Amino acid sequence: MSNESIIQVEHVYKSVADATGTLDILRDIDFSVPAQQTLAIVGASGSGKSTLLSIIAGLDTPSRGKVMLAGVDLFGLSEDDRAVARAQRVGFVFQSFQLMANLTALENVMLPLELQGAKGARDQAKAMLQRVGLGERLGHLPKLMSGGEQQRVALARAFVVKPQVLLADEPTGSLDFATGERVMQLMFELNQEQGTTLVLVTHDRQIANNCQRQITIEAGRVAADELRA
């Protein structure tokens, strides 16, 4: 594993105003992630871990602080340029799958390749769906697939562009235990094959224990940062 940081989160704060005043969601979050590391961000519901992941992705903006992705200051970029940086370097897997309902499994996986202007998008997408065990489901729409199958399509879509960083937000939260186990095993296999940096938000300590490192968020702060391997 490289010691060079692919992600640097520097003194990030996030506050929002509501009717009762100002709510501090994140407070002085500061850490870096070496390339190819697998990191679990854990904590109770409402601790701020999903907000932190959204900020690392550049999908949400911090109130203070900055995030460096591969040496680029995400919030020093325009919103359009931030979207380009994300498309070039980051893959996503969400609890709710976020598949395009009107596209087949194959078309969903082809989409990020087509947005990049990649050649041979259909063949690459087909190969990745076969890799996740869905070679027989290429023409199926999401509504005709089980939750586990939809999450495997989402994994294929995330990994097909060979992202430097994969961000996963409770990727097994909508799945039963056995299906979730299979999906997580597949995610770690693909991650290892491609040498991706994985940042995973979960409340499941068993899933987190598969990662090399765990950061625990409590009340918007880093309560623990443990290297396991």
Side-chain angles (χ1 to χ4, degrees):
M1 186 175 68
S2 169
N3 288 322
E4 188 175 335
S5 295
I6 185 88
I7 299 166
Q8 292 169 273
V9 179
E10 301 181 8
H11 302 291
V12 161
Y13 291 75
K14 179 67 177 183
S15 303
V16 294
D18 63 15
T20 60
T22 301
L23 175 66
D24 295 321
I25 299 172
L26 297 174
R27 292 179 270 191
D28 200 21
I29 304 289
D30 192 88
F31 64 89
S32 61
V33 185
Q36 299 181 30
Q37 187 172 72
T38 55
L39 165 66
I41 299 174
V42 299
S45 180
S47 60
K49 59 189 188 298
S50 289
T51 300
L52 175 57
L53 195 74
S54 291
I55 289 173
I56 292 171
L59 294 168
D60 195 358
T61 55
S63 303
R64 289 160 52 193
K66 67 179 181 178
V67 174
M68 306 290 289
L69 177 64
V72 175
D73 180 358
L74 276 184
F75 300 104
L77 300 174
S78 69
E79 199 167 327
D80 286 348
D81 287 342
R82 202 155 59 238
V84 170
R86 214 168 27 241
Q88 290 175 339
R89 301 184 185 278
V90 181
F92 298 93
V93 180
F94 300 96
Q95 177 177 341
S96 56
F97 318 137
Q98 301 283 3
L99 300 176
M100 302 291 284
N102 60 329
L103 299 183
T104 65
L106 182 61
E107 289 165 343
N108 264 286
V109 179
M110 285 171 63
L111 187 60
L113 291 167
E114 290 174 329
L115 291 173
Q116 286 186 354
K119 293 181 179 177
R122 178 173 291 272
D123 288 342
Q124 289 184 60
K126 191 181 291 188
M128 184 55 75
L129 281 164
Q130 288 169 341
R131 173 66 186 82
V132 301
L134 293 175
E136 304 299 315
R137 310 285 274 169
L138 304 180
H140 285 66
L141 294 171
K143 67 182 180 183
L144 300 175
M145 308 178 85
S146 69
E149 287 173 334
Q150 289 185 59
Q151 193 59 295
R152 282 187 280 156
V153 174
L155 281 183
R157 181 183 59 185
F159 278 105
V160 76
V161 294
K162 297 183 170 57
Q164 287 180 281
V165 175
L166 182 75
L167 304 178
D169 191 2
E170 300 282 9
T172 62
S174 299
L175 307 175
D176 65 73
F177 178 78
T179 305
E181 286 265 290
R182 287 196 294 273
V183 165
M184 286 310 305
Q185 183 180 5
L186 184 58
M187 179 182 289
F188 282 108
E189 284 175 7
L190 288 168
N191 193 71
Q192 196 164 28
E193 285 170 20
Q194 293 193 4
T196 310
T197 304
L198 173 64
V199 181
L200 168 72
V201 161
T202 184
H203 65 274
D204 187 326
R205 288 281 178 175
Q206 190 171 344
I207 290 173
N209 287 342
N210 287 312
C211 292
Q212 296 161 330
R213 180 182 176 193
Q214 288 183 33
I215 289 178
T216 304
I217 305 292
E218 290 179 6
R221 297 183 184 274
V222 174
D225 186 345
E226 305 163 275
L227 196 62
R228 301 179 57 83

